[in-house]
């Protein structure tokens, strides 16, 4: 379990309460996941916080219900850009950021149509195969930036597949919240020509 300050924990509690309220109207997480919101979604997202330097700018791809981007904004106080194409989810993200006091910019567009300033860190969770994530992330990441992707059991296979199309420096870190999951950390990546 990731240790956070009492104030941060209170902000995350407000987020969890708000998500439970909104989830009855729009599908932010599976209804059966509301009861296990902390271990399954919040803790899973929080494990990235210790990999992110203070003050680093973050862009989260396909933010959905705020995982991991909004959780990281609350936990780190770093500025986070959330890219999400579903307008209803964007309304939730804006309201949750306001209530939780998070430094968030919400871009209500598809990833390939969003052009935020290049970020130090790109994150995503349960969004797409690594190859596609790298394709989306490359134009949004600073040259010396890092990608942190929360992945499932197929992380090694996705990394092998992506290495056919990308030269990169990569590491697979074990997930602390999902026995079969992993964090894929990627930097210095460019397309194979």
């Amino acid at each position: 379990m990731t240790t956070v300050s009492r104030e941060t924990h209170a902000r995350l509690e407000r987020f969890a309460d708000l998500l439970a309220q909104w989830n009855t109207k729009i599908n932010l997480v599976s209804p059966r996941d509301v009861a296990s919101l902390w271990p399954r979604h919040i803790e899973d997202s929080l494990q990235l916080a210790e990999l992110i330097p203070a003050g680093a700018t973050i862009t989260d791809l396909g933010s959905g219900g705020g995982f991991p981007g909004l959780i990281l904004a609350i936990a780190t106080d770093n500025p986070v850009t959330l890219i999400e194409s579903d307008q209803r989810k964007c309304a939730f993200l804006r309201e949750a950021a306001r209530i939780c006091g998070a430094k968030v910019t919400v871009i209500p567009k598809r990833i390939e149509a969003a052009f935020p300033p290049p970020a130090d860190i790109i994150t995503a969770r349960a969004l797409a195969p690594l190859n596609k994530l790298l394709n989306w992330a490359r134009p949004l990441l600073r040259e010396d930036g890092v990608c942190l992707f929360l992945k499932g059991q197929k992380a090694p296979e996705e990394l092998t597949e992506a290495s056919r199309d990308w030269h990169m420096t990569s590491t697979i870190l074990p997930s602390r919240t999902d026995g079969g999951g992993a964090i894929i950390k990627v930097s210095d990546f460019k397309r194979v020509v």
Side-chain angles (χ1 to χ4, degrees):
M1 184 163 167
T2 304
T3 305
V4 295
S5 70
R6 197 173 319 157
E7 295 80 14
T8 298
H9 193 273
R11 291 166 69 199
L12 291 169
E13 286 284 356
R14 285 197 295 276
F15 168 82
D17 291 344
L18 189 65
L19 185 136
Q21 292 169 17
W22 279 63
N23 208 58
T24 62
K25 296 179 181 75
I26 63 172
N27 187 28
L28 298 167
V29 297
S30 166
R32 70 180 184 282
D33 281 358
V34 173
S36 59
L37 191 61
W38 273 91
R40 185 162 171 76
H41 296 288
I42 295 174
E43 281 292 332
D44 191 46
S45 298
L46 277 176
Q47 65 183 322
L48 295 183
E50 63 195 43
L51 303 173
I52 297 174
T57 57
I58 303 165
T59 295
D60 185 48
L61 308 179
S63 300
F67 309 107
L70 189 51
I71 299 302
L72 294 172
I74 294 168
T76 66
D77 280 325
N78 288 14
V80 178
T81 299
L82 306 174
I83 302 176
E84 173 55 53
S85 63
D86 184 311
Q87 299 299 318
R88 298 168 310 147
K89 290 178 181 176
C90 287
F92 166 76
L93 294 169
R94 285 187 197 97
E95 181 67 1
R98 184 186 69 77
I99 287 174
C100 298
K103 298 175 193 165
V104 163
T105 301
V106 178
I107 298 180
K109 295 183 176 181
R110 294 183 57 77
I111 296 163
E112 53 272 24
F115 301 101
D120 299 312
I121 308 280
I122 301 284
T123 60
R125 178 176 182 260
L127 181 63
L130 181 60
N131 216 350
K132 188 174 262 191
L133 289 173
L134 293 174
N135 198 46
W136 286 332
R138 185 63 267 160
L140 305 178
L141 186 67
R142 289 175 44 146
E143 278 303 312
D144 58 347
V146 174
C147 294
L148 298 171
F149 300 131
L150 289 158
K151 303 300 276 176
Q153 295 177 347
K154 295 189 177 181
E157 291 90 345
E158 287 190 37
L159 195 52
T160 299
E161 180 70 28
S163 67
R164 293 183 185 120
D165 296 322
W166 297 91
H167 293 294
M168 66 184 121
T169 301
S170 63
T171 308
I172 295 181
L173 306 167
S175 171
R176 291 195 318 256
T177 61
D178 176 357
I183 300 164
I184 298 181
K185 181 178 179 181
V186 178
S187 61
D188 304 316
F189 62 101
K190 63 180 183 230
R191 276 212 170 271
V192 172
V193 285

